[in-house]
Amino acid sequence: GQQVMQIPQYQHVQEGEDFTTYCNSSTTLSNIQWYKQRPGGHPVFLIQLVKSGEVKKQKRLTFQFGEAKKNSSLHITATQTTDVGTYFCAAPDNYGQNFVFGPGTRLSVLP
Amino acid sequence: DTAVSQTPKYLVTQMGNDKSIKCEQNLGHDTMYWYKQDSKKFLKIMFSYNNKELIINETVPNRFSPKSPDKAHLNLHINSLELGDSAVYFCASSYRQGMAYEQYFGPGTRLTVT
């Protein structure tokens, strides 16, 4: 079935440093979503990307959808301790009915 | 008001028992889901359901069954619980079924099977 890979699996950064997580698929995606899950919490929707090469910003977060629509990235500028959590990308499954979640990137921010 | 709620928050039970987890959404959404998150944080969809269609992930054992009394509720029944069923179970909902819609997750139910 459809699989999406994410790298890195873990990232430890000093507060104020930048952070990027990458999501890759072997197939072309119609769209991709990003979610954040705080420790002990539940996934929360961040954004959806649909267009090839699309770039969207939310304050310090920048989301990008690749030109070939096979990869996506989430970049956080000047991380803060509130950014701690696991970031998941989610892509449509092979049947286009449900989303398949990537394994996530767990971000730790050291104060 | 809580958008998607689940009960119980924690569930500890013995192997072989049957248990249920309840989920309710007050968002007026058409579609509800159940996800399983294992100890490595992998999120795997189990079911998606709207009033017309139940889509089952083929890897889910038939000991698991969703039951929807109405559009706002999707409960998860688990028969003959096994150790490997220990995980966090999330309910979610979206406006419509399909890939264009964001999902709203409940707080999760941590199931421990001993």
Side-chain angles (χ1 to χ4, degrees), chain B residues 6 16 33 38 46 49-50 58 67-68 71 75 79 82-84 99 101 103 105 112-113:
Chain B
Q6 293 179 230
Y33 311 82
D38 62 23
M46 301 175 72
Y49 181 77
N50 64 23
E58 60 193 12
K67 292 200 178 3
S68 181
K71 206 170 87 164
N75 304 324
N79 294 326
E82 300 178 357
L83 291 176
M99 306 154 307
Y101 303 100
Q103 295 184 36
F105 283 78
T112 304
V113 182

Side-chain angles (χ1 to χ4, degrees), chain A residues 43-92:
Chain A
V44 174
F45 174 81
L46 293 176
I47 209 157
Q48 174 165 271
L49 304 171
V50 179
K51 298 177 184 175
S52 167
E54 188 170 17
V55 177
K56 286 189 176 180
K57 293 192 176 186
Q58 290 178 352
K59 297 183 180 178
R60 294 179 295 104
L61 277 61
T62 301
F63 303 83
Q64 189 164 1
F65 204 6
E67 293 288 343
K69 300 181 75 173
K70 287 186 176 182
N71 56 71
S72 180
S73 64
L74 158 58
H75 178 82
I76 303 178
T77 305
T79 54
Q80 299 175 0
T81 54
T82 53
D83 296 324
V84 164
T86 302
Y87 293 85
F88 294 96
C89 62

Side-chain angles (χ1 to χ4, degrees), chain B residues 21-33:
Chain B
I21 305 172
K22 294 185 177 181
C23 177
E24 176 181 2
Q25 54 94 4
N26 62 7
L27 297 167
H29 285 170
D30 228 3
T31 304
M32 297 182 73
Y33 311 82

Side-chain angles (χ1 to χ4, degrees), chain B residues 4-5 14 19 23 25 27 30 33 41 48 51 55 66-68 73 79 82 85 88-89 92-93 95 106:
Chain B
V4 182
S5 59
Q14 292 184 328
K19 289 293 178 186
C23 177
Q25 54 94 4
L27 297 167
D30 228 3
Y33 311 82
K41 296 289 192 183
S48 68
N51 56 2
I55 299 172
K67 292 200 178 3
S68 181
H73 297 83
N79 294 326
E82 300 178 357
D85 297 332
V88 179
Y89 291 84
S93 72
Y95 179 60

Side-chain angles (χ1 to χ4, degrees), chain A residues 30-31 33 35 37 40-43 45 48 86 88 92 95-99 101 103 106, chain B residues 33 35 37 40-43 45 48 53 55 90 97-103 105-107:
Chain A
S30 59
N31 59 341
Q33 295 183 347
Y35 290 78
Q37 183 177 19
H42 58 276
F45 174 81
Q48 174 165 271
T86 302
F88 294 96
Y95 307 101
Q97 291 173 322
N98 288 312
F99 275 99
F101 279 74
R106 195 175 300 186
Chain B
Y33 311 82
Y35 285 86
Q37 186 171 48
K40 294 185 178 179
K41 296 289 192 183
F42 293 124
L43 258 177
I45 190 162
S48 68
E53 191 176 14
I55 299 172
F90 288 102
Q97 191 157 31
M99 306 154 307
Y101 303 100
E102 65 187 87
Q103 295 184 36
F105 283 78

